[in-house]
PDB file of all heavy atoms in Angstrom:
ATOM      1  N   GLU A   1       3.734  -2.687   0.512  1.00  0.00           N
ATOM      2  CA  GLU A   1       4.062  -1.421   1.133  1.00  0.00           C
ATOM      3  C   GLU A   1       3.523  -0.337   0.235  1.00  0.00           C
ATOM      4  O   GLU A   1       3.207  -0.583  -0.920  1.00  0.00           O
ATOM      5  CB  GLU A   1       5.569  -1.295   1.362  1.00  0.00           C
ATOM      6  CG  GLU A   1       6.381  -1.320   0.089  1.00  0.00           C
ATOM      7  CD  GLU A   1       7.877  -1.324   0.354  1.00  0.00           C
ATOM      8  OE1 GLU A   1       8.324  -1.984   1.278  1.00  0.00           O
ATOM      9  OE2 GLU A   1       8.577  -0.637  -0.395  1.00  0.00           O
ATOM     10  N   PRO A   2       3.386   0.884   0.708  1.00  0.00           N
ATOM     11  CA  PRO A   2       2.779   1.910  -0.133  1.00  0.00           C
ATOM     12  C   PRO A   2       3.468   2.040  -1.460  1.00  0.00           C
ATOM     13  O   PRO A   2       4.682   2.050  -1.550  1.00  0.00           O
ATOM     14  CB  PRO A   2       2.933   3.178   0.734  1.00  0.00           C
ATOM     15  CG  PRO A   2       2.959   2.669   2.136  1.00  0.00           C
ATOM     16  CD  PRO A   2       3.667   1.356   2.062  1.00  0.00           C
ATOM     17  N   ALA A   3       2.662   2.127  -2.513  1.00  0.00           N
ATOM     18  CA  ALA A   3       3.212   2.201  -3.865  1.00  0.00           C
ATOM     19  C   ALA A   3       3.873   3.535  -4.092  1.00  0.00           C
ATOM     20  O   ALA A   3       3.488   4.555  -3.577  1.00  0.00           O
ATOM     21  CB  ALA A   3       2.093   1.985  -4.893  1.00  0.00           C
ATOM     22  N   GLN A   4       4.897   3.517  -4.985  1.00  0.00           N
ATOM     23  CA  GLN A   4       5.600   4.742  -5.321  1.00  0.00           C
ATOM     24  C   GLN A   4       5.438   5.125  -6.775  1.00  0.00           C
ATOM     25  O   GLN A   4       6.079   6.005  -7.288  1.00  0.00           O
ATOM     26  CB  GLN A   4       7.102   4.577  -4.986  1.00  0.00           C
ATOM     27  CG  GLN A   4       7.367   4.298  -3.521  1.00  0.00           C
ATOM     28  CD  GLN A   4       6.889   5.393  -2.606  1.00  0.00           C
ATOM     29  OE1 GLN A   4       7.015   6.552  -2.922  1.00  0.00           O
ATOM     30  NE2 GLN A   4       6.306   5.055  -1.489  1.00  0.00           N
ATOM     31  N   GLY A   5       4.581   4.391  -7.463  1.00  0.00           N
ATOM     32  CA  GLY A   5       4.291   4.754  -8.842  1.00  0.00           C
ATOM     33  C   GLY A   5       5.503   4.697  -9.711  1.00  0.00           C
ATOM     34  O   GLY A   5       6.099   3.676  -9.955  1.00  0.00           O
ATOM     35  N   ALA A   6       5.911   5.800 -10.271  1.00  0.00           N
ATOM     36  CA  ALA A   6       6.977   5.853 -11.250  1.00  0.00           C
ATOM     37  C   ALA A   6       8.315   5.485 -10.688  1.00  0.00           C
ATOM     38  O   ALA A   6       9.251   5.213 -11.420  1.00  0.00           O
ATOM     39  CB  ALA A   6       7.029   7.254 -11.863  1.00  0.00           C
ATOM     40  N   ALA A   7       8.450   5.404  -9.408  1.00  0.00           N
ATOM     41  CA  ALA A   7       9.733   5.055  -8.833  1.00  0.00           C
ATOM     42  C   ALA A   7      10.053   3.594  -9.009  1.00  0.00           C
ATOM     43  O   ALA A   7      11.159   3.162  -8.805  1.00  0.00           O
ATOM     44  CB  ALA A   7       9.745   5.413  -7.346  1.00  0.00           C
ATOM     45  N   THR A   8       9.104   2.795  -9.393  1.00  0.00           N
ATOM     46  CA  THR A   8       9.344   1.380  -9.559  1.00  0.00           C
ATOM     47  C   THR A   8      10.043   1.112 -10.875  1.00  0.00           C
ATOM     48  O   THR A   8      10.090   1.929 -11.770  1.00  0.00           O
ATOM     49  CB  THR A   8       7.990   0.612  -9.534  1.00  0.00           C
ATOM     50  OG1 THR A   8       7.163   1.145 -10.553  1.00  0.00           O
ATOM     51  CG2 THR A   8       7.308   0.779  -8.185  1.00  0.00           C
ATOM     52  N   ALA A   9      10.581  -0.127 -10.996  1.00  0.00           N
ATOM     53  CA  ALA A   9      11.233  -0.523 -12.226  1.00  0.00           C
ATOM     54  C   ALA A   9      10.202  -0.599 -13.319  1.00  0.00           C
ATOM     55  O   ALA A   9       9.011  -0.678 -13.087  1.00  0.00           O
ATOM     56  CB  ALA A   9      11.906  -1.878 -12.011  1.00  0.00           C
ATOM     57  N   PRO A  10      10.641  -0.586 -14.606  1.00  0.00           N
ATOM     58  CA  PRO A  10       9.682  -0.513 -15.711  1.00  0.00           C
ATOM     59  C   PRO A  10       8.639  -1.605 -15.672  1.00  0.00           C
ATOM     60  O   PRO A  10       7.501  -1.366 -16.019  1.00  0.00           O
ATOM     61  CB  PRO A  10      10.598  -0.633 -16.939  1.00  0.00           C
ATOM     62  CG  PRO A  10      11.911  -0.077 -16.485  1.00  0.00           C
ATOM     63  CD  PRO A  10      12.028  -0.462 -15.045  1.00  0.00           C
ATOM     64  N   HIS A  11       9.029  -2.836 -15.249  1.00  0.00           N
ATOM     65  CA  HIS A  11       8.049  -3.911 -15.274  1.00  0.00           C
ATOM     66  C   HIS A  11       7.314  -4.040 -13.958  1.00  0.00           C
ATOM     67  O   HIS A  11       6.456  -4.889 -13.807  1.00  0.00           O
ATOM     68  CB  HIS A  11       8.737  -5.243 -15.613  1.00  0.00           C
ATOM     69  CG  HIS A  11       9.594  -5.792 -14.509  1.00  0.00           C
ATOM     70  ND1 HIS A  11      10.856  -5.349 -14.270  1.00  0.00           N
ATOM     71  CD2 HIS A  11       9.331  -6.736 -13.555  1.00  0.00           C
ATOM     72  CE1 HIS A  11      11.381  -6.016 -13.238  1.00  0.00           C
ATOM     73  NE2 HIS A  11      10.468  -6.847 -12.783  1.00  0.00           N
ATOM     74  N   ARG A  12       7.671  -3.207 -12.992  1.00  0.00           N
ATOM     75  CA  ARG A  12       7.013  -3.267 -11.699  1.00  0.00           C
ATOM     76  C   ARG A  12       5.618  -2.674 -11.781  1.00  0.00           C
ATOM     77  O   ARG A  12       5.359  -1.776 -12.563  1.00  0.00           O
ATOM     78  CB  ARG A  12       7.817  -2.502 -10.657  1.00  0.00           C
ATOM     79  CG  ARG A  12       9.063  -3.233 -10.190  1.00  0.00           C
ATOM     80  CD  ARG A  12       8.663  -4.390  -9.353  1.00  0.00           C
ATOM     81  NE  ARG A  12       9.826  -4.955  -8.686  1.00  0.00           N
ATOM     82  CZ  ARG A  12       9.776  -6.031  -7.948  1.00  0.00           C
ATOM     83  NH1 ARG A  12       8.633  -6.660  -7.814  1.00  0.00           N
ATOM     84  NH2 ARG A  12      10.848  -6.515  -7.379  1.00  0.00           N
ATOM     85  N   VAL A  13       4.748  -3.197 -10.941  1.00  0.00           N
ATOM     86  CA  VAL A  13       3.400  -2.688 -10.894  1.00  0.00           C
ATOM     87  C   VAL A  13       3.342  -1.528  -9.924  1.00  0.00           C
ATOM     88  O   VAL A  13       3.651  -1.676  -8.747  1.00  0.00           O
ATOM     89  CB  VAL A  13       2.405  -3.787 -10.460  1.00  0.00           C
ATOM     90  CG1 VAL A  13       1.037  -3.197 -10.262  1.00  0.00           C
ATOM     91  CG2 VAL A  13       2.376  -4.880 -11.505  1.00  0.00           C
ATOM     92  N   GLY A  14       3.021  -0.388 -10.404  1.00  0.00           N
ATOM     93  CA  GLY A  14       2.815   0.775  -9.557  1.00  0.00           C
ATOM     94  C   GLY A  14       1.398   1.260  -9.743  1.00  0.00           C
ATOM     95  O   GLY A  14       0.601   0.661 -10.435  1.00  0.00           O
ATOM     96  N   GLY A  15       1.064   2.336  -9.155  1.00  0.00           N
ATOM     97  CA  GLY A  15      -0.270   2.880  -9.305  1.00  0.00           C
ATOM     98  C   GLY A  15      -0.222   4.353  -9.619  1.00  0.00           C
ATOM     99  O   GLY A  15       0.693   5.064  -9.251  1.00  0.00           O
ATOM    100  N   GLY A  16      -1.224   4.819 -10.350  1.00  0.00           N
ATOM    101  CA  GLY A  16      -1.279   6.241 -10.650  1.00  0.00           C
ATOM    102  C   GLY A  16      -1.649   7.049  -9.428  1.00  0.00           C
ATOM    103  O   GLY A  16      -2.358   6.590  -8.541  1.00  0.00           O
ATOM    104  N   LEU A  17      -1.151   8.250  -9.332  1.00  0.00           N
ATOM    105  CA  LEU A  17      -1.481   9.119  -8.226  1.00  0.00           C
ATOM    106  C   LEU A  17      -2.895   9.655  -8.407  1.00  0.00           C
ATOM    107  O   LEU A  17      -3.400   9.787  -9.511  1.00  0.00           O
ATOM    108  CB  LEU A  17      -0.476  10.271  -8.147  1.00  0.00           C
ATOM    109  CG  LEU A  17       0.973   9.869  -7.868  1.00  0.00           C
ATOM    110  CD1 LEU A  17       1.860  11.105  -7.889  1.00  0.00           C
ATOM    111  CD2 LEU A  17       1.097   9.141  -6.546  1.00  0.00           C
ATOM    112  N   LEU A  18      -3.521   9.977  -7.285  1.00  0.00           N
ATOM    113  CA  LEU A  18      -4.893  10.483  -7.319  1.00  0.00           C
ATOM    114  C   LEU A  18      -4.877  11.971  -7.652  1.00  0.00           C
ATOM    115  O   LEU A  18      -4.193  12.759  -7.010  1.00  0.00           O
ATOM    116  CB  LEU A  18      -5.564  10.252  -5.957  1.00  0.00           C
ATOM    117  CG  LEU A  18      -6.963  10.845  -5.800  1.00  0.00           C
ATOM    118  CD1 LEU A  18      -7.933  10.150  -6.747  1.00  0.00           C
ATOM    119  CD2 LEU A  18      -7.431  10.716  -4.370  1.00  0.00           C
ATOM    120  N   ASP A  19      -5.620  12.328  -8.679  1.00  0.00           N
ATOM    121  CA  ASP A  19      -5.765  13.724  -9.050  1.00  0.00           C
ATOM    122  C   ASP A  19      -6.826  14.351  -8.140  1.00  0.00           C
ATOM    123  O   ASP A  19      -7.991  13.927  -8.148  1.00  0.00           O
ATOM    124  CB  ASP A  19      -6.199  13.821 -10.517  1.00  0.00           C
ATOM    125  CG  ASP A  19      -6.329  15.263 -10.994  1.00  0.00           C
ATOM    126  OD1 ASP A  19      -6.108  16.180 -10.171  1.00  0.00           O
ATOM    127  OD2 ASP A  19      -6.646  15.451 -12.175  1.00  0.00           O
ATOM    128  N   PRO A  20      -6.463  15.347  -7.325  1.00  0.00           N
ATOM    129  CA  PRO A  20      -7.451  15.948  -6.410  1.00  0.00           C
ATOM    130  C   PRO A  20      -8.692  16.476  -7.134  1.00  0.00           C
ATOM    131  O   PRO A  20      -9.788  16.477  -6.575  1.00  0.00           O
ATOM    132  CB  PRO A  20      -6.667  17.095  -5.754  1.00  0.00           C
ATOM    133  CG  PRO A  20      -5.234  16.677  -5.868  1.00  0.00           C
ATOM    134  CD  PRO A  20      -5.135  15.929  -7.171  1.00  0.00           C
ATOM    135  N   ARG A  21      -8.516  16.906  -8.387  1.00  0.00           N
ATOM    136  CA  ARG A  21      -9.666  17.407  -9.132  1.00  0.00           C
ATOM    137  C   ARG A  21     -10.683  16.295  -9.387  1.00  0.00           C
ATOM    138  O   ARG A  21     -11.875  16.566  -9.583  1.00  0.00           O
ATOM    139  CB  ARG A  21      -9.203  18.011 -10.451  1.00  0.00           C
ATOM    140  CG  ARG A  21      -8.397  19.309 -10.277  1.00  0.00           C
ATOM    141  CD  ARG A  21      -7.806  19.766 -11.586  1.00  0.00           C
ATOM    142  NE  ARG A  21      -6.857  18.787 -12.112  1.00  0.00           N
ATOM    143  CZ  ARG A  21      -6.178  18.938 -13.248  1.00  0.00           C
ATOM    144  NH1 ARG A  21      -6.355  20.030 -13.982  1.00  0.00           N
ATOM    145  NH2 ARG A  21      -5.334  18.009 -13.659  1.00  0.00           N
ATOM    146  N   GLN A  22     -10.198  15.055  -9.388  1.00  0.00           N
ATOM    147  CA  GLN A  22     -11.113  13.932  -9.600  1.00  0.00           C
ATOM    148  C   GLN A  22     -12.103  13.810  -8.453  1.00  0.00           C
ATOM    149  O   GLN A  22     -13.238  13.367  -8.636  1.00  0.00           O
ATOM    150  CB  GLN A  22     -10.318  12.632  -9.755  1.00  0.00           C
ATOM    151  CG  GLN A  22     -11.151  11.413 -10.112  1.00  0.00           C
ATOM    152  CD  GLN A  22     -11.780  11.547 -11.491  1.00  0.00           C
ATOM    153  OE1 GLN A  22     -11.130  11.907 -12.459  1.00  0.00           O
ATOM    154  NE2 GLN A  22     -13.063  11.243 -11.577  1.00  0.00           N
ATOM    155  N   LEU A  23     -11.685  14.218  -7.250  1.00  0.00           N
ATOM    156  CA  LEU A  23     -12.591  14.182  -6.104  1.00  0.00           C
ATOM    157  C   LEU A  23     -13.789  15.101  -6.337  1.00  0.00           C
ATOM    158  O   LEU A  23     -14.937  14.735  -6.068  1.00  0.00           O
ATOM    159  CB  LEU A  23     -11.845  14.599  -4.829  1.00  0.00           C
ATOM    160  CG  LEU A  23     -10.768  13.634  -4.316  1.00  0.00           C
ATOM    161  CD1 LEU A  23     -10.004  14.273  -3.165  1.00  0.00           C
ATOM    162  CD2 LEU A  23     -11.393  12.322  -3.871  1.00  0.00           C
ATOM    163  N   LEU A  24     -13.515  16.288  -6.873  1.00  0.00           N
ATOM    164  CA  LEU A  24     -14.607  17.229  -7.140  1.00  0.00           C
ATOM    165  C   LEU A  24     -15.497  16.731  -8.269  1.00  0.00           C
ATOM    166  O   LEU A  24     -16.724  16.820  -8.199  1.00  0.00           O
ATOM    167  CB  LEU A  24     -14.029  18.603  -7.479  1.00  0.00           C
ATOM    168  CG  LEU A  24     -13.266  19.317  -6.353  1.00  0.00           C
ATOM    169  CD1 LEU A  24     -12.657  20.620  -6.857  1.00  0.00           C
ATOM    170  CD2 LEU A  24     -14.189  19.575  -5.174  1.00  0.00           C
ATOM    171  N   ARG A  25     -14.853  16.203  -9.327  1.00  0.00           N
ATOM    172  CA  ARG A  25     -15.658  15.723 -10.466  1.00  0.00           C
ATOM    173  C   ARG A  25     -16.534  14.538 -10.075  1.00  0.00           C
ATOM    174  O   ARG A  25     -17.594  14.319 -10.670  1.00  0.00           O
ATOM    175  CB  ARG A  25     -14.732  15.337 -11.622  1.00  0.00           C
ATOM    176  CG  ARG A  25     -14.058  16.518 -12.299  1.00  0.00           C
ATOM    177  CD  ARG A  25     -13.452  16.105 -13.624  1.00  0.00           C
ATOM    178  NE  ARG A  25     -12.367  15.148 -13.449  1.00  0.00           N
ATOM    179  CZ  ARG A  25     -11.086  15.478 -13.354  1.00  0.00           C
ATOM    180  NH1 ARG A  25     -10.722  16.753 -13.413  1.00  0.00           N
ATOM    181  NH2 ARG A  25     -10.163  14.559 -13.207  1.00  0.00           N
ATOM    182  N   SER A  26     -16.087  13.765  -9.093  1.00  0.00           N
ATOM    183  CA  SER A  26     -16.828  12.553  -8.715  1.00  0.00           C
ATOM    184  C   SER A  26     -17.858  12.805  -7.630  1.00  0.00           C
ATOM    185  O   SER A  26     -18.661  11.914  -7.334  1.00  0.00           O
ATOM    186  CB  SER A  26     -15.837  11.477  -8.235  1.00  0.00           C
ATOM    187  OG  SER A  26     -14.910  11.147  -9.241  1.00  0.00           O
ATOM    188  N   THR A  27     -17.854  13.998  -7.029  1.00  0.00           N
ATOM    189  CA  THR A  27     -18.798  14.278  -5.941  1.00  0.00           C
ATOM    190  C   THR A  27     -20.261  14.130  -6.364  1.00  0.00           C
ATOM    191  O   THR A  27     -21.063  13.535  -5.631  1.00  0.00           O
ATOM    192  CB  THR A  27     -18.531  15.671  -5.355  1.00  0.00           C
ATOM    193  OG1 THR A  27     -17.195  15.709  -4.824  1.00  0.00           O
ATOM    194  CG2 THR A  27     -19.521  15.991  -4.251  1.00  0.00           C
ATOM    195  N   PRO A  28     -20.679  14.657  -7.534  1.00  0.00           N
ATOM    196  CA  PRO A  28     -22.083  14.432  -7.935  1.00  0.00           C
ATOM    197  C   PRO A  28     -22.451  12.951  -8.035  1.00  0.00           C
ATOM    198  O   PRO A  28     -23.553  12.558  -7.627  1.00  0.00           O
ATOM    199  CB  PRO A  28     -22.161  15.130  -9.308  1.00  0.00           C
ATOM    200  CG  PRO A  28     -21.078  16.163  -9.263  1.00  0.00           C
ATOM    201  CD  PRO A  28     -19.974  15.536  -8.481  1.00  0.00           C
ATOM    202  N   ASP A  29     -21.532  12.141  -8.562  1.00  0.00           N
ATOM    203  CA  ASP A  29     -21.811  10.698  -8.629  1.00  0.00           C
ATOM    204  C   ASP A  29     -21.920  10.105  -7.231  1.00  0.00           C
ATOM    205  O   ASP A  29     -22.738   9.204  -6.988  1.00  0.00           O
ATOM    206  CB  ASP A  29     -20.705   9.984  -9.406  1.00  0.00           C
ATOM    207  CG  ASP A  29     -20.749  10.301 -10.890  1.00  0.00           C
ATOM    208  OD1 ASP A  29     -21.849  10.598 -11.388  1.00  0.00           O
ATOM    209  OD2 ASP A  29     -19.691  10.261 -11.547  1.00  0.00           O
ATOM    210  N   ALA A  30     -21.078  10.578  -6.304  1.00  0.00           N
ATOM    211  CA  ALA A  30     -21.136  10.079  -4.932  1.00  0.00           C
ATOM    212  C   ALA A  30     -22.481  10.401  -4.297  1.00  0.00           C
ATOM    213  O   ALA A  30     -23.049   9.583  -3.566  1.00  0.00           O
ATOM    214  CB  ALA A  30     -19.992  10.678  -4.111  1.00  0.00           C
ATOM    215  N   LEU A  31     -23.012  11.585  -4.578  1.00  0.00           N
ATOM    216  CA  LEU A  31     -24.314  11.959  -4.026  1.00  0.00           C
ATOM    217  C   LEU A  31     -25.435  11.122  -4.636  1.00  0.00           C
ATOM    218  O   LEU A  31     -26.385  10.736  -3.944  1.00  0.00           O
ATOM    219  CB  LEU A  31     -24.572  13.459  -4.261  1.00  0.00           C
ATOM    220  CG  LEU A  31     -23.606  14.418  -3.523  1.00  0.00           C
ATOM    221  CD1 LEU A  31     -23.885  15.856  -3.918  1.00  0.00           C
ATOM    222  CD2 LEU A  31     -23.730  14.246  -2.015  1.00  0.00           C
ATOM    223  N   ARG A  32     -25.306  10.824  -5.936  1.00  0.00           N
ATOM    224  CA  ARG A  32     -26.331   9.989  -6.582  1.00  0.00           C
ATOM    225  C   ARG A  32     -26.349   8.582  -5.999  1.00  0.00           C
ATOM    226  O   ARG A  32     -27.394   7.914  -5.989  1.00  0.00           O
ATOM    227  CB  ARG A  32     -26.092   9.945  -8.085  1.00  0.00           C
ATOM    228  CG  ARG A  32     -26.592  11.186  -8.815  1.00  0.00           C
ATOM    229  CD  ARG A  32     -26.570  10.986 -10.325  1.00  0.00           C
ATOM    230  NE  ARG A  32     -25.223  11.021 -10.852  1.00  0.00           N
ATOM    231  CZ  ARG A  32     -24.619  12.133 -11.264  1.00  0.00           C
ATOM    232  NH1 ARG A  32     -25.266  13.296 -11.201  1.00  0.00           N
ATOM    233  NH2 ARG A  32     -23.395  12.087 -11.734  1.00  0.00           N
TER     234      ARG A  32
END
């Protein structure tokens, strides 16, 4: 089910949230 990141227990596997600024920083690489 969709991950909740920090809401999980300490040993649970969650995922980091996407930083919107990363989309802009990665756009040149996407074009390449």
Side-chain angles (χ1 to χ4, degrees):
E1 62 185 40
Q4 300 299 321
T8 57
H11 72 279
R12 285 289 191 184
V13 173
L17 297 178
L18 175 65
D19 182 359
R21 292 173 297 181
Q22 185 65 47
L23 292 173
L24 295 176
R25 289 194 295 266
S26 300
T27 299
D29 289 332
L31 295 175
R32 281 191 286 270

